[in-house]
Amino acid sequence: MNMNPQEPTAPYGIDPSNPLFNVTWDMDREEGRAVNLMKAARTEQYPEPLVDIPDELRRSALVTSVDTLLNWARKSSVFPLQFGLACCVFEMIATAMSRFDISRFGMEAFRATPRQADLMIVAGTVTWKMAVPLRRLFDQMSEPKWVISMGVCATSGGPYYQSYSVVPGVNHIVPVDVYVPGCPPRPDALLYGIMQLHEKVKRYTLTHTPAGQE
């Protein structure tokens, strides 16, 4: 045992006369060879999708997430509530005609009862007298549910702004998801608003922001 603190002692099992790089030289070369093989073989990233689907299932199975499936079903089967308040409703009705054809979005069935509807299109001026039944219809709609404010009258009161009988924006009565400007907005503007609602529906997720719990 070396009792001189000035002289360093070699670890147990190491020959001080044989440098460490001579001991690990073969190990280092093998590791370097493995690294070079990895670099040469992994020049391309893995193609999407990362899920490997067997050939016999490619034409009979669909691989997706639960969120994507639910949101696709919701946005493709929105049922609007059948009611109108003022002149904007004629433009809303025109979206169901053959020129604009709202049925391509699966929305041609305007429901006559709020219990079968999940979209309220507020088309026209909302008076304080109409605000009470409008809120009642919204409360009776099924979850998840959405609201489109169609036209400047529904959004802010329009030319009747600050009138004693007109609500200064339907967002005082119900939460609004999409605003469609115009007086009145054309049917294609309403279709664009519906497409924006579809984009919002596609962002829902069961783990963070489930539909109907915003």
Side-chain angles (χ1 to χ4, degrees):
M1 181 176 181
N2 189 358
M3 302 300 295
N4 189 354
Q6 300 299 329
E7 297 181 7
T9 59
Y12 179 77
I14 299 298
D15 185 3
S17 61
N18 189 14
L20 183 61
F21 67 85
N22 288 335
V23 179
T24 62
W25 178 247
D26 293 337
M27 184 186 305
D28 294 338
R29 292 182 60 185
E30 189 64 30
E31 183 179 1
R33 188 180 299 108
V35 171
N36 289 332
L37 288 176
M38 179 69 71
K39 291 172 62 177
R42 306 294 179 174
T43 57
E44 299 291 337
Q45 61 184 2
Y46 280 102
E48 297 290 345
L50 298 178
V51 180
D52 186 20
I53 305 175
D55 294 335
E56 62 271 13
L57 295 180
R58 287 186 179 275
R59 297 187 180 184
S60 60
L62 178 65
V63 179
T64 183
S65 65
V66 176
D67 289 332
T68 302
L69 181 62
L70 289 178
N71 294 335
W72 171 80
R74 283 174 177 147
K75 80 177 188 65
S76 303
S77 60
V78 177
F79 284 176
L81 183 60
Q82 182 178 344
F83 86 109
L85 299 178
C87 47
C88 281
V89 72
F90 295 107
E91 306 297 324
M92 182 182 73
I93 294 172
T95 60
M97 307 308 292
S98 59
R99 180 178 179 182
F100 300 98
D101 193 18
I102 200 176
S103 62
R104 57 182 143 164
F105 300 118
M107 298 175 58
E108 71 277 9
F110 283 78
R111 313 310 297 182
T113 170
R115 293 174 178 83
Q116 297 177 357
D118 53 8
L119 173 62
M120 172 181 285
I121 303 176
V122 183
T125 309
V126 182
T127 62
W128 285 109
K129 186 175 182 179
M130 188 63 194
V132 176
L134 187 143
R135 179 66 200 197
R136 184 182 304 120
L137 290 173
F138 177 80
D139 291 337
Q140 292 175 349
M141 290 170 59
S142 58
E143 292 282 358
K145 52 192 173 185
W146 301 277
V147 176
I148 292 180
S149 177
M150 182 180 178
V152 66
C153 288
T155 300
S156 63
Y160 313 106
Y161 179 67
Q162 291 185 340
S163 171
Y164 74 95
S165 61
V166 175
V167 177
V170 71
N171 56 356
H172 289 73
I173 310 301
V174 294
V176 178
D177 297 282
V178 176
Y179 294 90
V180 179
C183 185
R186 288 175 46 83
D188 44 1
L190 177 59
L191 293 180
Y192 180 76
I194 292 172
M195 293 167 64
Q196 296 305 304
L197 179 63
H198 289 172
E199 294 299 319
K200 180 176 182 178
V201 172
K202 289 196 298 186
R203 292 195 298 268
Y204 287 122
T205 173
L206 295 176
T207 57
H208 295 90
T209 55
Q213 298 183 15
E214 297 177 281

